[in-house]
Amino acid sequence: MVFKRLLGALGVGGPTVDTVLDPAPVRPGGTLTGRVLLKGGTAGFEIEHITLELVARVEAEHEGGESEGVVAFDRFTVGGGFRLAEGEEREVPFGVTVPWETPVTELHGQHLGVVLGVRTELSVAGAKDKGDLDPLNVAPLPAQEAVLEALGGLGFGFRSADLEYGRIGGTGQRLPFYQEIELVPSPRYADQVDEIELTFLADPAGMEVVLEADKRGGLLSPGHDALTRFTVSHDQVGHQDWPALVDGWIRQLVEQRAPYGSPTAFGPGGHGHGFEEHHHGRRSGPGMGTAVAAGAAGLAVGVAGGMVAGEVVDEIGDFFEGEEEEEEG
């Protein structure tokens, strides 16, 4: 990426900035590393702050329908307090910890269609200007990957993934939005469920797994949504029969009956209360400590086949180009 000239508040001839992220994807709760490259302009400038902002493209439901917007979900000051001389080139390395609830953008190298970015802001002489907006790639945690691999091995397929503005009631959610991974049901459940939605809410100890099923109606009963939540710890990876555990989750979800007048509390676009909650400790069993490679490959193929990988890449590219044109305008 070439240097981007900072116009607007700093004026033509001001310093330029380019942020280069290290190529490996970060994991939720992990350290994002890279370098901010500065180049002095036609005069010297006092660099007060260099700030990185994590942003996400988020969907919001409202009375008029649905809209999309950009939400900032963390900020880090990574440098500043120095003078950048005329024409001087300077490199500022950084390492920042991303939130545990940071959404997953890829699975085995395949984009899921979720768009995250890192925006660089330069503060010079009391004026702030936004430079780079770089794509942020996030790989799943081992426990998240184990759940996804198990679902793939059980015959579930990837349909889409998005970020929804709002909160899921009854959970420990911290960010103002959550990720929904929509799955096509396996043949075993295809006559009972239209779709299953999966949400991970991770923290340092483990994660909540929220599952919602769009259940089909029968001759004497209408269709309805079933919702449940499970908690797992990070140290279960390698000590868990994940296919058996996840299959048990799905069975409990599908076997739920339609609630009658159960109370719900929704945030904007959020799920309601009324969870059936389950905690799982360590246990052993067949396949313990092994990755379901075929299942992971199947889910990854679903990403490319169901979403069309090229279209996902184009969509992400359009988002970042649109953001840059808006800033320049």
Side-chain angles (χ1 to χ4, degrees):
M1 184 180 295
V2 299
F3 282 114
K4 291 182 170 60
R5 189 167 295 279
L6 292 179
L7 305 176
L10 302 185
V12 177
T16 59
V17 61
D18 179 38
T19 298
V20 180
L21 304 178
D22 288 343
V26 67
R27 293 183 188 269
T31 301
L32 175 67
T33 56
R35 299 163 291 146
V36 178
L37 306 178
L38 299 172
K39 185 173 182 180
T42 56
F45 285 87
E46 295 294 332
I47 307 299
E48 297 175 349
H49 299 287
I50 304 170
T51 302
L52 302 181
E53 188 175 60
L54 305 185
V55 299
R57 188 183 65 182
V58 176
E59 297 179 0
E61 296 180 2
H62 45 79
E63 291 183 2
E66 190 175 273
S67 59
E68 290 185 346
V70 177
V71 174
F73 62 98
D74 215 340
R75 285 173 64 86
F76 311 92
T77 297
V78 297
F82 60 86
R83 182 173 180 79
L84 187 68
E86 176 184 349
E88 177 188 355
E89 295 186 5
R90 183 178 292 218
E91 180 177 305
V92 180
F94 63 84
V96 297
T97 302
V98 304
W100 281 93
E101 287 181 20
T102 300
V104 174
T105 67
E106 64 175 56
L107 176 62
H108 295 280
Q110 295 284 354
H111 287 287
L112 300 181
V114 171
V115 182
L116 302 180
V118 179
R119 194 195 303 276
T120 308
E121 183 180 274
L122 206 60
S123 179
V124 180
K128 294 181 180 179
D129 231 326
K130 294 178 180 178
D132 275 345
L133 179 60
D134 298 283
L136 173 62
N137 297 319
V138 182
L141 291 164
Q144 294 171 332
E145 189 169 347
V147 171
L148 293 170
E149 288 178 346
L151 286 165
L154 292 169
F156 289 83
F158 177 87
R159 176 169 286 165
S160 66
D162 58 23
L163 305 181
E164 297 283 344
Y165 184 75
R167 296 187 180 276
I168 304 177
T171 69
Q173 181 184 342
R174 294 180 178 274
L175 294 185
F177 58 85
Y178 56 91
Q179 181 174 19
E180 275 190 349
I181 300 174
E182 299 178 357
L183 302 171
V184 178
S186 67
R188 177 180 175 182
Y189 298 108
D191 61 339
Q192 299 170 277
V193 175
D194 287 319
E195 180 180 81
I196 287 181
E197 295 174 348
L198 167 68
T199 296
F200 295 120
L201 298 173
D203 62 31
M207 66 181 182
E208 296 173 274
V209 182
V210 182
L211 291 169
E212 182 176 5
D214 181 10
K215 298 184 68 173
R216 298 179 185 274
L219 291 175
L220 302 176
S221 62
H224 68 278
D225 290 343
L227 190 67
T228 191
R229 177 183 65 175
F230 304 88
T231 59
V232 297
S233 62
H234 295 303
D235 62 9
Q236 282 181 242
V237 179
H239 302 275
Q240 183 71 58
D241 180 0
W242 289 99
L245 178 63
V246 174
D247 187 51
W249 292 351
I250 298 297
R251 280 188 283 106
Q252 291 182 53
L253 177 68
V254 171
E255 290 168 5
Q256 278 190 33
R257 300 194 175 194
Y260 293 96
S262 58
T264 59
F266 293 90
H271 290 300
H273 287 296
F275 281 113
E276 181 181 346
E277 184 178 359
H278 305 270
H279 297 266
H280 297 272
R282 293 186 179 185
R283 77 179 202 184
S284 60
M288 181 182 69
T290 62
V292 187
L299 211 57
V301 167
V303 174
M307 193 72 182
V308 186
E311 292 179 5
V312 172
V313 173
D314 289 344
E315 186 179 358
I316 294 171
D318 291 343
F319 170 73
F320 284 101
E321 289 174 7
E323 283 289 300
E324 289 170 7
E325 288 172 3
E326 184 177 324
E327 290 170 13
E328 292 173 1

